[in-house]
Amino acid sequence: MPHTAEADSDALSPGAKRGRPGYDQDSVLNVAVQVFNKHGYDATSMGLLAENLGISKSAIYHHVPSKGDLLRLALDQALVPLEAISEHERARTGTAEERLEFFLRSTIRVLIERQPYVTLLLRLRGNTEVERTALERRRAVDRKVADLVVEAQREGTLREDIDPRTTTRLLFGTINSMVEWYRPDGPADARQVEDNAIAMMLDGLHTRNL
Amino acid sequence: MPHTAEADSDALSPGAKRGRPGYDQDSVLNVAVQVFNKHGYDATSMGLLAENLGISKSAIYHHVPSKGDLLRLALDQALVPLEAISEHERARTGTAEERLEFFLRSTIRVLIERQPYVTLLLRLRGNTEVERTALERRRAVDRKVADLVVEAQREGTLREDIDPRTTTRLLFGTINSMVEWYRPDGPADARQVEDNAIAMMLDGLHTRNL
């Protein structure tokens, strides 16, 4: 699936094509997240956003009351689907090993589908209340994976000679790095990248394990 | 091994303790890399560096002719040991699988020993010639690992159902993430983190592979 600004906007805003002229809130978000990622949230002024949107500052305020609200809405585009993973049936049934694999695969999918929004989330510095709340929500998601690693070690499906905290960080390190290098028009498609990452993390690269 | 600013300085500058008063070049580098990492290279002025060093701007120029030279010297602290890996005997002998493991382990060690300098390298934006030259040297190191992945697939020790380019990026994603979370005073020491990362990447987390 090609991942363009337009595709994003459609995915996030089912009503975007109803013929309303100008921007809707999701299209504003779409441009805002790119400006935030390019310049950093702190360095982005409402004036710079208006310039990139090609509209006036007062027109932005028609969509959102403040820069902080824009950030909060943009971060929700990453956090809501990440938080939804643990609500899924497959995150609640089966062995810890199966649930861990479901979590990792689902996280990779959200990351690829919402790449600019997850990039924004991962680069947060925590300077404002909106940022700190988002980071706390992200940590809560991370803790679910950390708990699954421990649970899978206890049930005997994950090796015991690894430190669960280090392993959780390595898992997120591997997955989160994708926001920096995954390209929808690259040589490997989203499903191949997902399968490749799962193959490495859970089964290892050595043929002797196959 | 505790990794403090002082330990760094000693490691990088054997002559640092000969009793010369004030800063030597390595101590200047040590502070400079922290300021670069905190504020970003572009946003760091010689004035800000002088402020952090507690010396005058002209005193900095006694050590290095320009901010660009300071960056180049700091990046060398990461790049020289990374480039040295491929010169080692163990990078040249044995199976591709053995050489790949040696490369990965050595890279993790450099990253942990030179953490602030590797952080600086990984965050480069490529806005200046010094940055672009460093990024080209980093890519040359990355290509050696990519070549080893292909070679190990050909010799049959690395699984064939993986894309070598994706795998190389996942390997570096896993390793490079350490600069963001590894803490020398954390629960796992450097050797445990290295073994844990190698265990996950090459053998996988599943017990069924053991």
Side-chain angles (χ1 to χ4, degrees):
Chain A
M1 187 187 78
H3 181 91
T4 62
E6 209 171 51
D8 244 356
S9 167
D10 290 345
L12 305 179
S13 145
K17 292 217 159 164
R18 280 187 206 140
R20 185 173 150 212
Y23 284 104
D24 60 13
Q25 187 176 280
D26 289 333
S27 316
V28 171
L29 270 189
N30 213 307
V31 174
V33 73
Q34 289 171 39
V35 181
F36 288 155
N37 284 338
K38 185 170 176 192
H39 299 276
Y41 174 70
D42 293 333
T44 301
S45 65
M46 283 301 244
L48 184 61
L49 282 171
E51 201 181 295
N52 276 274
L53 285 158
I55 60 177
S56 67
K57 274 206 265 186
S58 61
I60 300 185
Y61 290 116
H62 169 75
H63 295 287
V64 283
S66 71
K67 192 177 89 159
D69 285 292
L70 210 46
L71 179 66
R72 189 176 43 75
L73 289 167
L75 291 169
D76 269 343
Q77 297 288 348
L79 285 165
V80 169
L82 286 173
E83 288 167 338
I85 295 170
S86 63
E87 303 302 320
H88 195 283
E89 162 106 29
R90 288 181 59 194
R92 296 159 170 275
T93 51
T95 64
E97 178 190 31
E98 287 164 346
R99 282 176 282 140
L100 178 64
E101 179 169 339
F102 175 75
F103 249 94
L104 296 174
R105 286 189 180 273
S106 303
T107 303
I108 293 169
R109 285 178 200 188
V110 171
L111 190 145
I112 284 178
E113 277 164 25
R114 303 278 168 105
Q115 193 173 12
Y117 298 101
V118 179
T119 302
L120 181 67
L121 177 66
L122 295 177
R123 291 189 190 163
L124 284 189
R125 287 168 165 258
N127 290 333
T128 65
E129 195 54 38
V130 171
E131 290 170 81
R132 285 189 290 274
T133 304
L135 287 171
E136 187 38 57
R137 287 168 68 189
R138 180 187 156 197
R139 275 193 290 271
V141 171
D142 289 6
R143 273 195 296 273
K144 293 209 165 76
V145 172
D147 291 345
L148 278 176
V149 169
V150 172
E151 214 186 314
Q153 279 186 306
R154 284 204 194 115
E155 78 179 10
T157 47
L158 238 59
R159 48 199 293 171
E160 287 219 305
D161 62 330
I162 53 161
D163 173 51
R165 286 176 62 177
T166 302
T167 299
T168 303
R169 289 185 145 161
L170 289 169
L171 289 171
F172 280 113
T174 310
I175 291 177
N176 292 343
S177 77
M178 288 179 198
V179 302
E180 304 297 338
W181 57 261
Y182 177 75
R183 294 291 170 270
D185 54 357
D189 71 20
R191 184 56 195 250
Q192 285 171 317
V193 169
E194 178 189 322
D195 287 344
N196 201 148
I198 294 291
M200 182 183 90
M201 295 186 289
L202 298 184
D203 294 316
L205 296 175
H206 278 150
T207 45
R208 61 171 177 261
N209 304 326
L210 295 181
Chain B
M1 188 187 75
H3 180 94
T4 63
E6 208 171 54
D8 243 358
S9 167
D10 291 345
L12 303 181
S13 147
K17 291 216 161 166
R18 278 184 208 146
R20 186 173 149 208
Y23 285 104
D24 60 12
Q25 187 177 279
D26 289 334
S27 316
V28 171
L29 270 190
N30 214 306
V31 175
V33 73
Q34 289 170 40
V35 181
F36 288 154
N37 284 337
K38 185 170 175 192
H39 299 276
Y41 174 71
D42 294 332
T44 302
S45 64
M46 284 302 244
L48 184 62
L49 282 171
E51 201 179 296
N52 275 274
L53 284 158
I55 59 178
S56 67
K57 274 205 270 186
S58 61
I60 300 185
Y61 290 115
H62 169 75
H63 295 288
V64 282
S66 72
K67 194 177 87 157
D69 286 293
L70 209 46
L71 179 66
R72 189 175 44 74
L73 289 166
L75 291 170
D76 269 343
Q77 296 287 349
L79 284 165
V80 169
L82 286 173
E83 289 167 338
I85 296 170
S86 62
E87 303 303 319
H88 195 282
E89 160 105 32
R90 289 181 58 195
R92 296 159 170 278
T93 51
T95 63
E97 178 191 32
E98 287 164 347
R99 284 176 281 139
L100 178 64
E101 180 170 339
F102 174 76
F103 249 95
L104 296 174
R105 285 189 181 274
S106 304
T107 304
I108 293 170
R109 285 178 199 188
V110 171
L111 190 146
I112 284 177
E113 279 164 24
R114 303 280 167 103
Q115 193 173 12
Y117 298 101
V118 179
T119 302
L120 181 66
L121 177 65
L122 294 177
R123 290 189 189 162
L124 285 189
R125 288 167 164 259
N127 290 333
T128 64
E129 195 54 38
V130 170
E131 290 171 81
R132 284 188 291 273
T133 304
L135 287 171
E136 185 40 54
R137 286 168 68 188
R138 181 187 155 198
R139 275 192 291 272
V141 170
D142 289 6
R143 272 195 295 272
K144 293 208 166 77
V145 173
D147 290 345
L148 278 176
V149 168
V150 173
E151 213 185 318
Q153 279 186 308
R154 285 204 194 114
E155 78 180 9
T157 48
L158 237 59
R159 47 201 291 171
E160 286 219 305
D161 62 331
I162 53 161
D163 173 51
R165 286 176 62 176
T166 301
T167 299
T168 303
R169 291 187 144 158
L170 290 168
L171 289 170
F172 279 113
T174 310
I175 291 176
N176 292 343
S177 78
M178 290 180 196
V179 301
E180 304 297 338
W181 58 261
Y182 176 76
R183 294 290 169 269
D185 54 357
D189 71 19
R191 184 55 196 249
Q192 286 171 316
V193 169
E194 177 189 322
D195 287 343
N196 201 148
I198 294 291
M200 182 183 93
M201 295 186 289
L202 298 184
D203 294 316
L205 297 173
H206 278 150
T207 46
R208 64 170 175 261
N209 304 327
L210 296 180

